[in-house]
């Protein structure tokens, strides 16, 4: 079933929308949650919460790209769950991803307003769309989906040193780009 049909089911408040979403995007949701949460039970809870969040959000919103809409919800819920359950216990891959990006886009007190957050998001998106497809995809896999370096290497066929080098260079470019756009890093 295509995305428009699934969204229409949500608008009609048809419960089969959840089944169709799970059928089409369950693997994507599981992949995102799996990269953030260690426990199978936590992942399942997060994915179920995602379907509820979609159910509650759709009447008010009409997502342009349903897969991105779902990805954002599952990622945010998984990160909230991760933060809640792991004060001392950490998923090393996720922590490393966030630490790597910390030099480019740290959360400072001056970046708390919603308007500024959206400006930063739009600026990062503009930067990413100016990059070569393979670099952009590797960057997104690492920092959005929180894939490990090893997973990225398996998917791309690149060596670890090449992936690490590409990510390092992209972070440097992103930092310079953000600064050139007047965003304090």
């Amino acid at each position: 079933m295509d995305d428009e049909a699934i969204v229409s089911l949500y608008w009609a408040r048809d419960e089969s929308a959840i089944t169709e979403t799970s059928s089409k995007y369950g693997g994507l949701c599981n992949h995102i949650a799996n990269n953030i949460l260690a426990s199978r039970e936590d992942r399942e809870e997060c994915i179920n919460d995602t379907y509820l969040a979609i159910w509650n959000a759709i009447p008010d919103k009409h997502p342009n790209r349903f897969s991105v809409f779902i990805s954002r919800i599952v990622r945010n819920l998984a990160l909230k769950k991760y933060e809640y359950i792991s004060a001392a216990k950490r998923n090393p891959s996720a922590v490393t991803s966030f630490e790597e990006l910390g030099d480019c886009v740290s959360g400072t007190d001056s970046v708390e307003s919603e308007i500024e957050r959206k400006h930063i998001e739009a600026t990062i998106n503009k930067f990413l769309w100016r990059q070569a497809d393979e670099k952009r995809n590797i960057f997104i896999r690492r920092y959005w989906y929180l894939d490990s370096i090893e997973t990225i290497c398996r998917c791309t066929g690149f060596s670890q040193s090449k992936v690490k080098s590409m990510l390092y260079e992209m972070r440097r470019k992103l930092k310079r780009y953000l600064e050139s756009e007047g965003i304090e890093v």
Side-chain angles (χ1 to χ4, degrees), residues 6 32-33 35 56 61 66 73 76 79 83 90-91 105 108 121 136 142 153 155 157 160 167 169 180-181:
I6 295 172
I32 295 168
N35 283 342
N56 291 332
K61 297 180 181 174
F66 194 53
I73 291 172
N76 289 342
L79 289 170
E83 185 177 323
R90 304 254 183 232
N91 175 338
V105 287
T108 63
E121 183 179 309
R136 180 177 58 247
R142 180 70 174 149
C153 291
C155 293
Q160 281 194 16
L167 290 169
E169 187 60 35
S180 75
E181 294 291 315

Side-chain angles (χ1 to χ4, degrees), residues 27-40:
L28 174 65
C29 292
N30 192 51
H31 178 78
I32 295 168
N34 187 45
N35 283 342
I36 299 170
L37 300 169
S39 161
R40 182 182 56 77

Side-chain angles (χ1 to χ4, degrees), residues 81-132:
K81 183 74 170 176
Y82 171 78
E83 185 177 323
Y84 175 77
I85 61 174
S86 64
K89 298 181 252 176
R90 304 254 183 232
N91 175 338
S93 178
V95 171
T96 303
S97 292
F98 292 134
E99 287 172 354
E100 288 171 359
L101 262 187
D103 294 336
C104 297
V105 287
S106 61
T108 63
D109 291 341
S110 65
V111 188
E112 288 188 357
S113 77
E114 182 70 12
I115 293 170
E116 194 159 347
R117 184 192 64 76
K118 287 186 183 241
H119 171 66
I120 291 169
E121 183 179 309
T123 304
I124 291 171
N125 283 337
K126 191 185 314 178
F127 167 80
L128 288 174
W129 282 109
R130 292 180 176 175
Q131 306 306 308

Side-chain angles (χ1 to χ4, degrees), residues 110-174:
S110 65
V111 188
E112 288 188 357
S113 77
E114 182 70 12
I115 293 170
E116 194 159 347
R117 184 192 64 76
K118 287 186 183 241
H119 171 66
I120 291 169
E121 183 179 309
T123 304
I124 291 171
N125 283 337
K126 191 185 314 178
F127 167 80
L128 288 174
W129 282 109
R130 292 180 176 175
Q131 306 306 308
D133 285 348
E134 71 180 14
K135 289 181 180 180
R136 180 177 58 247
N137 291 336
I138 288 171
F139 191 89
I140 290 170
R141 289 190 75 111
R142 180 70 174 149
Y143 301 118
W144 178 258
Y145 294 111
L146 303 174
D147 282 349
S148 68
I149 299 291
E150 293 78 19
T151 301
I152 295 170
C153 291
R154 275 196 310 274
C155 293
T156 61
F158 295 143
S159 68
Q160 281 194 16
S161 61
K162 179 170 176 113
V163 170
K164 287 178 181 179
S165 175
M166 290 171 78
L167 290 169
Y168 175 75
E169 187 60 35
M170 289 279 290
R171 288 191 310 269
R172 278 188 42 231
K173 285 181 179 179
L174 175 60

Side-chain angles (χ1 to χ4, degrees), residues 29-74:
C29 292
N30 192 51
H31 178 78
I32 295 168
N34 187 45
N35 283 342
I36 299 170
L37 300 169
S39 161
R40 182 182 56 77
E41 292 83 11
D42 290 337
R43 288 192 302 270
E44 288 174 2
E45 180 182 340
C46 177
I47 292 168
N48 288 332
D49 289 347
T50 298
Y51 298 142
L52 176 62
I54 296 167
W55 181 265
N56 291 332
I58 291 283
D60 296 331
K61 297 180 181 174
H62 188 57
N64 292 335
R65 294 185 57 209
F66 194 53
S67 62
V68 174
F69 182 73
I70 293 169
S71 296
R72 179 173 286 179
I73 291 172
V74 72

